[in-house]
Amino acid sequence: MLKKVVLLAIPGVAPFEFGVVCEAFGIDRSAHLGPKFDFTIATAEPGPVPTSLGYDMVITTGLEVAADADLIAVPAHDVDAAVHPAVVEVLRDAEARGAWVLSVCSGAFTLAKAGLLSGRSATTHWMHAERLARDFPDVTVDPDVLFVEDGRIITSAGTAAGIDACLHLIRTELGAASANVVARRMVVPPQRSGGQSQYIATPIPVHRSDSFAEVTEWMLENLEQDLTIDELSRRALMSPRTFARRFKADLGTTPGAWLNRQRLLRAQQLLEESSLGLDAVAAESGFGTASVMRHHFAKSLNTTPAAYRRTFSVRALA
């Protein structure tokens, strides 16, 4: 269970990306039925820590606090900066004991320099992706995703993608209800990823136009129906072939994949927040039968609906 979070303050730290982690994990949201973390900011050499914007932060806590952290977070900073040996030790110890390690933007370079990304997939800001791949050829760099989860290491792309990575981790550990509380307070979508159990989480992009706004809204309102390409294309006033081609170009995925993802999210919500049986959840989310729903849970989340409910049910935790 994710309880103790330590954010590393590294010389040259970028204030926004640093603040993203503070906002996601540093605020007590228990009054709104959200999470409360044991959150600490630590640095290798306590005292003034310079930021990328020319002012200092005074951090009084050393890295010893990170010895039993469930999550070590590394914000963006100067990619050319040397990594303090104590930071390397903290990160390697965290990986060895199975703790989560999360980087935002150029923080991936610290993870790579510490050896945590060797043989793994990772991402960083698109401006730095080519350099990360060049400097660390044993790292598979994907510049086209919001974040990458490989084992218990999460690397995010630039700036706001750090929010997506933090919410993904909260959802993975604590469930959708907790992630939704945090997202509402941050006034951001609760999930833009392709799936919480995938090694590489690919976003479902924001519409580049409004051409599919009405049809996707209708799809969300009618998930329980048998939504065929023929019917959807008629609603969009297109031929099936044109609809499928333009849908993928506009939303970055096929109509079927988009629909399955929304059905999965709906099923997760029902399992977390309702007492409906599995057959009823499958029917309301559009999977039809519990066996079909189990197939999609196993394929996308590597778990079963029953196990997911035991872990994340809000009713069970109440």
Side-chain angles (χ1 to χ4, degrees), residues 68-90:
D68 61 347
D70 301 308
L71 165 65
I72 305 293
V74 181
H77 56 81
D78 182 3
V79 298
D80 292 314
V83 182
H84 196 288
V87 171
V88 172
E89 182 179 357
V90 162

Side-chain angles (χ1 to χ4, degrees), residues 93-113:
D93 286 348
E95 180 191 25
R97 70 172 186 273
W100 286 99
V101 177
L102 181 149
S103 69
V104 180
C105 192
S106 58
F109 282 81
T110 289
L111 271 58
K113 292 173 183 178

Side-chain angles (χ1 to χ4, degrees), residues 2 20-21 23-25 29 35 37 71 100 102 104 146-147 149 154 156 160-193 195-196 201 261 308 312:
L2 182 62
V20 162
V21 180
E23 179 74 17
F25 298 105
R29 294 186 169 90
F37 300 100
L71 165 65
W100 286 99
L102 181 149
V104 180
L146 289 178
F147 59 88
E149 177 188 338
I154 299 175
S156 79
I163 299 174
D164 296 286
C166 291
L167 290 174
H168 167 76
L169 179 53
I170 292 171
R171 182 182 182 95
T172 296
E173 284 284 299
L174 304 179
S178 291
N180 288 346
V181 170
V182 177
R184 282 195 295 269
R185 284 285 300 272
M186 297 177 76
V187 198
V188 295
Q191 186 168 357
R192 291 195 293 158
S193 72
Q196 64 181 1
R261 183 60 191 148
Y308 184 89
F312 296 119

Side-chain angles (χ1 to χ4, degrees), residues 242-315:
T242 299
F243 174 81
R245 175 176 53 81
R246 290 186 56 185
F247 191 100
K248 184 173 183 179
D250 201 52
L251 277 79
T253 189
T254 65
W258 190 93
L259 186 60
N260 276 337
R261 183 60 191 148
Q262 304 311 312
R263 284 172 168 161
L264 188 64
L265 289 171
R266 177 58 174 160
Q268 289 175 268
Q269 180 187 22
L270 291 171
L271 290 169
E272 293 170 8
E273 301 177 3
S274 79
S275 58
L276 293 174
L278 295 185
D279 286 328
V281 170
E284 289 205 16
S285 58
F287 287 123
T289 66
S291 61
V292 172
M293 182 171 67
R294 279 193 293 271
H295 167 78
H296 286 282
F297 265 71
K299 180 179 178 181
S300 299
L301 304 179
N302 196 30
T303 189
T304 66
Y308 184 89
R309 168 170 273 171
R310 285 195 299 270
T311 301
F312 296 119
S313 172
V314 175
R315 297 170 64 87

